[in-house]
Every structure is written in C-alpha cells, then in structure tokens.
Amino acid sequence: MEAITESLYTVALRDAPSSLPADARITAEARYARELERALGGPEQVAAALDAVLSLEGSDTVSAADQELAKIWQKAASTARERALSQIGEAEEAYFEVRLG
C-alpha cells in the first residue's frame, strides 16, 4: 500500500505489524514524508538527495560531497523514521521505502 504519492517520490511503510490500521499506516507515511521534506528542504530536495544517494550504490569512487550528502540523507531518514513511528508503538522491524516517482 502506497499512501503518499508525490509526483517526485513515493513513501511506503513496510514490515509494520499486521494489526496496524490503514489510517495509522497512512498517517505514519505522511509524517515520514513531511519530516524528510523538513530536514532536506522540500519535495524536490528529497527527490534529488534520494537520486544522488541511489547513484552512489555500486559506485567505485565517492566524492567528499557525495559522502556528505549520504550522511545528511541517513540522518534525515533516521529522524523521520523515529518521528513517524513514535505513534505506532511496537514496530521494530518496520521501515520506510522511498522511491523516485
């Protein structure tokens, strides 16, 4: 189930407890997207950062700027996850999948 569909990217909560109501899942996905946008500057910056981080996978050479961007993404995603899942409770295995639109 993909609750947040921006033209630039999508967010989906994965491996959440099966007892989680759909409205709670949608709320968590929306909050995750908002938190990413807050940390990175908006939907365009989320998509650009994700695109850059994905391009690093499998790359043999990584510039200092790319390393810094990866750190920024990781911190933003971690904070967004923590805040988005704070209302759910037991969801240790849950994660958010972000894909470019």
Side-chain angles (χ1 to χ4, degrees):
M1 172 184 201
E2 301 211 8
I4 303 300
T5 306
E6 295 286 331
S7 59
L8 300 173
Y9 68 96
T10 61
V11 173
L13 179 60
R14 303 289 187 213
D15 289 345
S18 58
S19 61
L20 184 67
D23 61 335
R25 175 184 296 272
I26 291 167
T27 298
E29 290 168 338
R31 178 136 192 222
Y32 184 84
R34 278 194 317 273
E35 294 294 338
L36 276 182
E37 290 175 10
R38 180 177 298 145
L40 298 172
E44 293 84 6
Q45 290 78 10
V46 170
L50 178 59
D51 186 46
V53 169
L54 291 175
S55 72
L56 296 177
E57 292 178 6
S59 178
D60 292 335
T61 57
V62 179
S63 70
D66 289 341
Q67 287 178 347
E68 184 61 27
L69 181 58
K71 286 180 189 176
I72 292 168
W73 174 267
Q74 186 171 4
K75 182 178 179 184
S78 177
T79 300
R81 181 187 184 279
E82 181 180 309
R83 291 180 179 167
L85 293 179
S86 66
Q87 302 299 316
I88 292 178
E90 280 297 313
E92 270 186 43
E93 302 296 318
Y95 65 96
F96 291 91
E97 179 181 69
V98 185
R99 292 186 177 191
L100 293 173

